[in-house]
Amino acid sequence: NTDWQDELTRNAITQDYNLILSGGTNQFTYRASLGYLGQEGIVVNTDFERFSGRVNATQKLMDGRLNIDFFLNSTIESGENAQMTTVTSNMLQFNPTYPAYTDGEPTRYPDLINPISQPELSKDFSEIRRTLVNIAPSFEIINGLVYKLNLGYTKGSREIDRQEMPSVDPFVEGRLQQDNSSSSNTLIENYLTYTKDFNDHNLNLLLGHSYQKTTGKFSSWNIVQFEANGIEPRFNPGLGQQLDLANNRPSGSAQENELQSFFGRATYQYQGKYMITGTVRADGSSKFGANNKYGTFPSFAAGWRISDESFMGWSTLSNLKLRAGWGQTGNQEIPNKITQESFRSSTAGRYTYPLFPTGPYPVGTVFTRLANPDIQWEVSTQTNVGLDFGLFDGALSGTIDYFHKVSNNILVEVPAFDPVSPAPTYWTNVPDMNITNKGLEVALDYRHVNKKGFSYSVGANATFIDNVVEDSPFTVLTTGAASGSGQTGATINGMINGYPIGSFYMQIFTGIDEGGLSTYEPPLVPEGDSRYVVGRALPKTMYNFYANMDFKGFDLSLNINGVSGNEIYNHTAMNKFYKGQLALSRNVVPKAIEFPEEAITNAALVSTRYLENGSYLRLNHLTFGYTFNTDALNWLQVLRLSFTAQNLFIITDYSGFDPEINRDKSIGGVQSFGIDDNSYPRPRTFVFGLNLTF
């Protein structure tokens, strides 16, 4: 009767304090703040702290023609955390018939580590520092013509000690891994804008240039075999007894990327009723090969405020606007350096090569990536048509939007076509392959104000999405790597013609045979693939409801959101809740024993047995507050008390902790979706707030 989830979780306290100072003159204004956040995690031995400082200042010169904006923000974050994957795994599968404590101390087991002791023995210690400075002067050259310069620089660093404390009982040999990383981001932007009004006409022109450079550096090393002498390995790594290149090889990486853009925009309005905008930008990225660093992306948009037309004078519509747009954008979110060739040294017998006749592959250098200077921007072309409307002097308003987006020149890592290629895969653009997103977004809002002091607003919005992969030259690009015993090479998702990206591609579970083993739907053709497209990870519908109410100082607001039409693969259940776990004295759930005839030797393989409905409805946010009348207090402007609850309840058929998950299990740059693998549970949070303004 031991509930390990109760033993390893807690009601956690968060403290959040902010002090804000602001003031200035007509020519100079400032705002400064100091903040502290102290947060306990809902899993024991997880804590987080953040100290932050921020300064904003604006200086006006030359009668307001020259403005200088300055911004500085600095944060220091530190955490002391139990290793989440291990803790979550232990509290789910540890035997509930084992006692947590004996005589007030964590029970010791001969061959196992008590989950109560695990968070103290295995911890991650982290410290993150980040500083951002931004200076943005603007100068009005002549009336309507303004030049603005934006200079930004961000510097960050991260230090993580991953420690396993050496122990005799339970036995832990001790380990220390230290990860260090640093990054910088430099941004230089130049804008020239011109605005002119003449009679019923308004013209706005913009020319700009943007340059951004990001750098990053990472290093990692580890050492093992520490003595159990009470000294934490992170305070004296030299006490470790095993540091060698065979088992504890240091690793590291460095990268430098640049992004440059030239852009222009023209906006024209006539009588405030007719609007048209045209934009063109040329973007260049160092991630692409020398042949194709730049891409050109135009866009156009137009609007017509129909409600301002004279023929609409009879209508009860307070607003009616028709919008339409078409445009292209580029995608450069690919791994670093993939246009360049890459090598690694080999050891005898580690690699095979089809042209080598016999015996082990000799020691030498092998390709891990081939050069491809022809890689270029992935392009998305989107068309939008929308209608905004309002009735009863704006009390009732809404929008309807149709969108159609096609991405082509898809960037993806694919298998080599040549069977004797030196590298098994390579990155490329797939020119004829399209990924289409189309759908409808609708929103409706109603606001009411009562003269007696009662007012309220309610609203809802929904998005209906259809996603499909078309004209792919590949039968299937699998992704969503499965992990665990017997799962080597197994995958969960696939990118397949005629289906959404992230579709679930696996065997169909049909039951248990007379021998106690799983049976599956046979392939459609003899010796063919026995996997089928069995569901989608992307929801068909996303929706949201909200309500706000105010009455004589009291206020109440709530937000409800949800999705439908998607599935989740419960990888946690596949790895932990199958019948064979009973033979190892581990915890399972009723699903593991739903077939009495199932053998404990039956393998838990990727199949629809662990595919579940991912739809949910969540009360995401609720706030109740009271603002006191401070008119009689000259020294106090605002006094407000509030209570906020987050994640109050969720309605779902999903058996895991939370259906709103997406553990990244991607392979070769092909995204994975809808996989739950030891995901950290989402907390229910209650916030008590006090706001004072002097």
Side-chain angles (χ1 to χ4, degrees):
N1 198 31
T2 302
D3 189 332
W4 291 105
Q5 294 187 66
D6 279 350
E7 298 292 344
L8 291 166
T9 60
R10 61 184 175 182
N11 292 325
I13 302 298
T14 297
Q15 303 176 68
D16 190 5
Y17 304 96
N18 293 278
L19 177 65
I20 303 169
L21 304 172
S22 60
T25 66
N26 291 334
Q27 301 298 315
F28 177 76
T29 58
Y30 69 90
R31 179 182 173 90
S33 65
L34 292 173
Y36 170 77
L37 175 67
Q39 187 176 37
E40 296 177 341
I42 61 173
V43 172
V44 298
N45 284 300
T46 57
D47 298 284
F48 172 83
E49 280 190 321
R50 180 176 65 218
F51 297 89
S52 60
R54 176 179 296 186
V55 176
N56 292 72
T58 299
Q59 176 72 63
K60 296 181 179 180
L61 301 169
M62 302 174 63
D63 296 327
R65 297 181 73 89
L66 175 63
N67 293 323
I68 302 175
D69 295 322
F70 173 80
F71 174 76
L72 174 66
N73 184 49
S74 184
T75 60
I76 300 176
E77 300 176 352
S78 60
E80 183 175 325
N81 298 309
Q83 294 177 1
M84 280 298 93
T85 301
T86 302
V87 173
T88 304
S89 179
N90 282 343
M91 71 182 185
L92 288 174
Q93 69 177 7
F94 212 77
N95 193 322
T97 69
Y98 292 174
Y101 295 94
T102 301
D103 297 329
E105 296 292 328
T107 303
R108 298 181 185 275
Y109 301 108
D111 302 315
L112 300 171
I113 297 178
N114 189 326
I116 301 296
S117 303
Q118 185 78 54
E120 193 63 43
L121 293 171
S122 302
K123 278 188 178 181
D124 293 344
F125 303 85
S126 64
E127 183 167 295
I128 303 171
R129 304 179 187 90
R130 187 181 299 109
T131 300
L132 167 64
V133 60
N134 182 261
I135 301 175
S138 62
F139 179 67
E140 188 173 13
I141 302 171
I142 59 174
N143 289 340
L145 182 62
V146 177
Y147 166 73
K148 183 174 182 178
L149 171 66
N150 183 34
L151 300 174
Y153 180 75
T154 304
K155 182 69 175 179
S157 65
R158 179 194 298 258
E159 299 174 0
I160 301 178
D161 291 340
R162 307 182 190 276
Q163 174 179 278
E164 292 182 6
M165 192 70 179
S167 172
V168 175
D169 187 13
F171 174 74
V172 179
E173 71 170 3
R175 176 178 176 270
L176 176 66
Q177 177 180 328
Q178 291 190 327
D179 298 338
N180 296 281
S181 62
S182 62
S183 63
S184 67
N185 188 335
T186 303
L187 179 66
I188 304 173
E189 294 178 319
N190 295 275
Y191 299 94
L192 194 63
T193 59
Y194 178 70
T195 303
K196 179 67 175 179
D197 291 316
F198 44 97
N199 299 326
D200 292 332
H201 307 273
N202 174 269
L203 180 66
N204 184 282
L205 302 175
L206 179 146
L207 286 175
H209 168 263
S210 175
Y211 171 79
Q212 185 176 22
K213 180 179 180 179
T214 58
T215 65
K217 184 171 62 175
F218 170 79
S219 63
S220 177
W221 65 274
N222 68 85
I223 187 170
V224 296
Q225 293 184 2
F226 287 81
E227 293 184 1
N229 53 14
I231 300 176
E232 294 189 41
R234 64 192 178 111
F235 295 134
N236 195 340
L239 296 178
Q241 300 175 40
Q242 183 179 341
L243 177 63
D244 58 69
L245 295 180
N247 300 312
N248 301 292
R249 179 183 293 271
S251 62
S253 63
Q255 67 214 26
E256 181 178 286
N257 293 311
E258 294 175 284
L259 184 65
Q260 180 170 246
S261 301
F262 301 90
F263 47 87
R265 183 185 67 210
T267 301
Y268 170 74
Q269 293 190 43
Y270 177 67
Q271 293 184 344
K273 295 186 294 185
Y274 313 105
M275 292 146 278
I276 186 170
T277 298
T279 302
V280 63
R281 60 183 301 134
D283 296 327
S285 172
S286 62
K287 286 189 173 184
F288 297 111
N291 303 341
N292 297 292
K293 288 191 181 297
Y294 281 88
T296 302
F297 308 105
S299 66
F300 305 94
W304 177 24
R305 193 177 297 278
I306 306 173
S307 54
D308 287 352
E309 297 287 357
S310 58
F311 60 79
M312 293 293 292
W314 58 269
S315 175
T316 58
L317 288 166
S318 55
N319 177 47
L320 183 63
K321 181 180 179 181
L322 180 65
R323 298 174 282 103
W326 175 93
Q328 291 184 326
T329 56
N331 174 31
Q332 57 125 23
E333 296 307 316
I334 54 178
N336 299 299
K337 309 175 185 178
I338 64 169
T339 61
Q340 305 172 35
E341 59 189 10
S342 178
F343 311 88
R344 71 176 300 169
S345 58
S346 70
T347 57
R350 186 172 182 180
Y351 297 93
T352 59
Y353 189 56
L355 297 184
F356 196 74
T358 58
Y361 190 82
V363 176
T365 301
V366 297
F367 274 103
T368 57
R369 181 176 61 235
L370 301 179
N372 186 357
D374 297 325
I375 290 179
Q376 55 187 280
W377 290 83
E378 180 179 301
V379 180
S380 294
T381 304
Q382 181 161 331
T383 302
N384 299 278
V385 179
L387 184 70
D388 303 328
F389 60 89
L391 296 91
F392 314 121
D393 295 324
L396 179 64
S397 61
T399 63
I400 302 173
D401 280 279
Y402 171 79
F403 60 90
H404 187 277
K405 178 181 178 181
V406 179
S407 299
N408 58 19
N409 232 19
I410 303 298
L411 286 163
V412 69
E413 185 178 15
V414 300
F417 288 105
D418 189 340
V420 294
S421 173
T425 62
Y426 69 102
W427 276 86
T428 188
N429 296 94
V430 185
D432 298 324
M433 179 178 174
N434 294 327
I435 298 176
T436 301
N437 276 293
K438 60 182 179 180
L440 192 69
E441 295 179 344
V442 294
L444 193 64
D445 302 88
Y446 182 74
R447 293 172 174 82
H448 178 77
V449 178
N450 189 293
K451 294 181 179 180
K452 295 183 180 181
F454 177 69
S455 63
Y456 65 90
S457 61
V458 293
N461 59 68
T463 303
F464 307 93
I465 305 174
D466 183 23
N467 176 280
V468 65
V469 177
E470 299 172 303
D471 300 325
S472 171
F474 307 99
T475 303
V476 58
L477 289 174
T478 55
T479 187
S483 57
S485 178
Q487 304 300 329
T488 302
T491 56
I492 298 169
N493 297 125
M495 186 180 290
I496 309 166
N497 270 328
Y499 296 95
I501 57 174
S503 291
F504 292 109
Y505 185 62
M506 61 188 64
Q507 296 186 99
I508 298 176
F509 176 76
T510 56
I512 302 296
D513 64 17
E514 295 179 355
L517 303 180
S518 298
T519 59
Y520 304 98
E521 190 76 24
L524 294 175
V525 295
E527 306 301 325
D529 195 338
S530 61
R531 294 173 295 177
Y532 295 81
V533 177
V534 293
R536 53 184 292 156
L538 300 181
K540 293 182 179 179
T541 306
M542 299 182 293
Y543 52 89
N544 179 76
F545 306 95
Y546 80 88
N548 300 311
M549 288 169 275
D550 296 277
F551 180 70
K552 294 183 178 180
F554 291 97
D555 61 88
L556 175 69
S557 64
L558 61 88
N559 177 273
I560 298 173
N561 69 291
V563 303
S564 65
N566 65 300
E567 284 80 31
I568 297 172
Y569 191 76
N570 195 337
H571 195 300
T572 307
M574 184 188 78
N575 268 357
K576 292 180 172 59
F577 302 139
Y578 57 92
K579 198 167 186 178
Q581 294 286 66
L582 290 173
L584 302 174
S585 291
R586 292 175 180 166
N587 180 51
V588 295
V589 295
K591 184 179 180 64
I593 54 173
E594 61 181 332
F595 298 101
E597 69 276 17
E598 183 177 6
I600 61 172
T601 56
N602 187 33
L605 303 179
V606 175
S607 73
T608 55
R609 185 176 185 179
Y610 304 101
L611 192 66
E612 302 184 32
N613 186 352
S615 303
Y616 68 86
L617 177 70
R618 185 194 305 273
L619 178 52
N620 198 45
H621 184 97
L622 184 147
T623 295
F624 177 72
Y626 182 74
T627 302
F628 291 86
N629 188 335
T630 58
D631 293 343
L633 302 175
N634 295 327
W635 55 275
L636 186 63
Q637 297 180 26
V638 176
L639 171 58
R640 172 176 162 79
L641 297 174
S642 63
F643 167 75
T644 298
Q646 298 171 343
N647 191 28
L648 266 180
F649 70 78
I650 185 168
I651 300 172
T652 181
D653 291 333
Y654 181 59
S655 64
F657 276 134
D658 196 313
E660 200 169 354
I661 52 89
N662 185 28
R663 178 61 65 88
D664 183 14
K665 310 281 282 187
S666 59
I667 300 175
V670 182
Q671 285 181 287
S672 65
F673 298 93
I675 300 174
D676 185 1
D677 185 12
N678 287 332
S679 297
Y680 186 81
R682 176 182 297 230
R684 179 176 294 118
T685 305
F686 302 98
V687 182
F688 300 89
L690 169 64
N691 181 266
L692 300 171
T693 301
F694 301 97

